[in-house]
């Protein structure tokens, strides 16, 4: 219908064990499930908070990188059908002339940058990581060159050697992917190893939440539905700052989050991620405060008051509104007339569906464009 009498979509807990199942369990027993409580030896499924990370006592103890580990997955294909993962042969191998004695990682990184705008966000993160590694390598070479020059100028002075290689600012890699019908570690998949051999860090080791908790910055890169169902919840509790991947879609938890209070927003194409990283590094007190706010919010959801509020807002209230909105018509009444009384003259039915099988709808209006949203967007952008 032309007028939005009620929302056609609302955010509710996703059908996953640490979301919808927890709300169902609370409805039955009034008990908070383990996934929202703190991790401990007796609760290995819980959230990880700063005190769970051994050896980390301050912000300065955290590794200054944007870290992400996850699964290679599609991204909002219906909305953005042109975004894709890279084709190694087409995008990398065929673009490099190895006979010219070029530096293979540098050439491969440049080739990946040329198709950056065509890649899904998680692969964009891999490109940023490759560029960060090339930058760190170059900086390391410059530092060693200056150190050698200093020794030549002052041969009689004692020079302390520095062995520390500059840390790349980004560390975004795939730990797993679907292969032959099951989730497989990327080091075991040839597709990812091709990129690794050319210096593109597509494949990374798996990391537990305790491992991730040693890093200063996190990002919740969206997947097939544009979000990461568990990543946002888990990373809010960690001691580092969350760069939240803002996409056209959202999860119910996002409604509880305030930008620059609980997270730092990052564009869907990650074009401002480096800028936000540099800001956080130059404003450590503000970054740490945002991280602390996020941790306390995640911690509050494991309290009776906090989870009950979540249950009320995202489970009980939407279902109650649906039930209370239901008004059965009197026998013999015409639903078209009743709807018209609610919406006025401009409200009219445009489609009628039986609901028994796919494509069983009849058009009731000839002047309405029924093309899908993504088709319309593509048409407008070309």
């Amino acid at each position: 219908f032309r007028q939005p009498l009620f929302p056609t979509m609302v955010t509710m807990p996703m059908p996953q064990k640490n979301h919808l199942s927890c709300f169902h369990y609370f409805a039955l027993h009034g008990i908070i499930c383990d996934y929202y409580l703190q991790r401990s030896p007796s609760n290995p499924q819980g959230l990880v908070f700063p005190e769970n990370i051994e050896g980390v006592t301050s912000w300065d103890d955290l590794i200054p990188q944007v870290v992400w580990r996850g699964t290679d997955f599609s991204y909002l294909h219906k909305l953005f059908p042109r975004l894709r993962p890279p084709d190694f042969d087409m995008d990398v191998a065929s673009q490099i002339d190895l006979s010219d004695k070029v530096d293979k990682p540098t050439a491969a990184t440049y080739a990946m940058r040329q198709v950056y705008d065509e890649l899904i966000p998680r692969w964009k993160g891999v490109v940023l990581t490759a560029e960060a590694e090339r930058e760190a390598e170059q900086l390391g070479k410059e530092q060693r060159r200056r150190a050698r020059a200093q020794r030549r100028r002052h041969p009689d002075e004692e020079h302390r050697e520095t062995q520390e290689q500059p840390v790349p600012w980004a560390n975004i890699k795939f730990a797993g992917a679907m292969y032959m019908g099951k989730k497989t570690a990327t080091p075991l998949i040839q597709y990812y190893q091709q990129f690794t051999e050319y210096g593109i860090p597509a494949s990374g080791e798996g990391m537990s939440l305790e491992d991730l908790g040693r890093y200063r910055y996190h990002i919740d890169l969206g997947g097939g539905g544009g979000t990461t169902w568990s990543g946002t919840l888990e990373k809010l509790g960690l001691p580092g700052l969350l760069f939240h991947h803002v996409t056209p879609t959202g999860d119910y938890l996002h409604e509880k989050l305030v930008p620059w209070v609980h997270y730092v927003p990052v564009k869907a194409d990650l074009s401002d991620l480096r800028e936000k990283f540099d800001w956080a590094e130059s404003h450590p007190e503000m970054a740490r405060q945002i991280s602390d706010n996020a941790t306390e919010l995640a911690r509050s959801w494991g309290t009776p008051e906090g989870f009950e509020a979540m249950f009320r807002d995202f489970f009980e209230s939407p279902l109650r509104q649906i039930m209370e909105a239901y008004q059965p018509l009197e026998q013999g009444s015409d639903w078209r007339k009743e709807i018209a009384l609610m919406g006025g003259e401009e409200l009219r039915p445009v489609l009628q569906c039986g609901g028994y099988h796919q494509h069983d709808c009849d058009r009731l209006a000839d002047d309405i464009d029924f093309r899908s949203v993504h088709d319309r967007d593509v048409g407008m952008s070309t």
Side-chain angles (χ1 to χ4, degrees), residues 73-75 83-84 116 119-128 172 174 221-223 245 247 267-270:
F73 208 73
S74 62
Y75 171 78
L83 293 183
R84 60 178 178 86
Y116 181 91
L119 302 179
I120 58 179
R122 292 183 178 182
W123 271 101
K124 283 179 164 68
V126 172
V127 176
L128 294 176
I172 300 170
F174 295 112
L221 292 171
H245 189 207
T247 74
K267 293 179 180 178
D269 65 358
L270 310 186

Side-chain angles (χ1 to χ4, degrees), residues 103 105-107 109 129-148 164-169 274:
D103 179 71
T106 300
T109 300
T129 299
E131 293 176 336
E133 291 185 356
R134 303 293 86 79
E135 179 183 303
E137 290 163 0
Q138 185 61 35
L139 182 57
K141 291 178 181 178
E142 288 296 318
Q143 290 177 348
R144 292 190 292 273
R145 183 189 62 78
R146 288 194 296 267
R148 289 194 298 270
E164 293 187 4
Q165 173 72 16
V167 177
W169 69 269
R274 176 61 185 270

Side-chain angles (χ1 to χ4, degrees), residues 59 216-217 241 274-287:
W59 187 255
R216 196 175 294 169
Y217 306 107
L241 172 68
R274 176 61 185 270
E275 175 189 343
K276 298 297 176 59
F277 168 83
D278 290 339
W279 173 87
E281 282 289 273
S282 61
H283 297 79
E285 290 302 317
M286 296 177 66

Side-chain angles (χ1 to χ4, degrees), residues 162-232:
T162 174
Q163 301 295 327
E164 293 187 4
Q165 173 72 16
V167 177
W169 69 269
N171 185 357
I172 300 170
K173 304 175 182 180
F174 295 112
M178 294 303 296
Y179 181 70
M180 303 293 287
K182 64 179 182 179
K183 188 174 180 180
T184 306
T186 50
L188 303 177
I189 304 175
Q190 177 61 23
Y191 170 71
Y192 300 94
Q193 290 313 297
Q194 295 176 113
F195 290 95
T196 300
E197 291 167 4
Y198 273 65
I200 304 300
S203 177
E205 75 285 9
M207 289 187 179
S208 66
L209 283 179
E210 289 85 354
D211 294 331
L212 293 172
R214 299 187 178 280
Y215 290 79
R216 196 175 294 169
Y217 306 107
H218 307 278
I219 186 167
D220 54 349
L221 292 171
T227 66
T228 172
W229 286 3
S230 297
T232 305

Side-chain angles (χ1 to χ4, degrees), residues 53 67 94 205-206 219 226 259 276 297 356:
I53 312 299
V67 67
S94 65
E205 75 285 9
I219 186 167
K276 298 297 176 59
L297 178 64
Y356 295 105

Side-chain angles (χ1 to χ4, degrees), residues 9 29 71 134 138 159 179 266 272 281 347-348 350:
M9 295 183 69
H29 308 288
T71 305
R134 303 293 86 79
Q138 185 61 35
H159 300 279
Y179 181 70
V266 172
D272 61 343
E281 282 289 273
L347 184 68
R348 58 175 177 148
V350 297

Side-chain angles (χ1 to χ4, degrees), residues 49-51 236-237 262 291-301:
F49 295 117
E51 58 269 26
L236 286 171
H262 302 112
S291 172
D292 289 346
N293 295 341
T295 296
E296 290 311 305
L297 178 64
R299 201 189 299 273
S300 73
W301 293 334

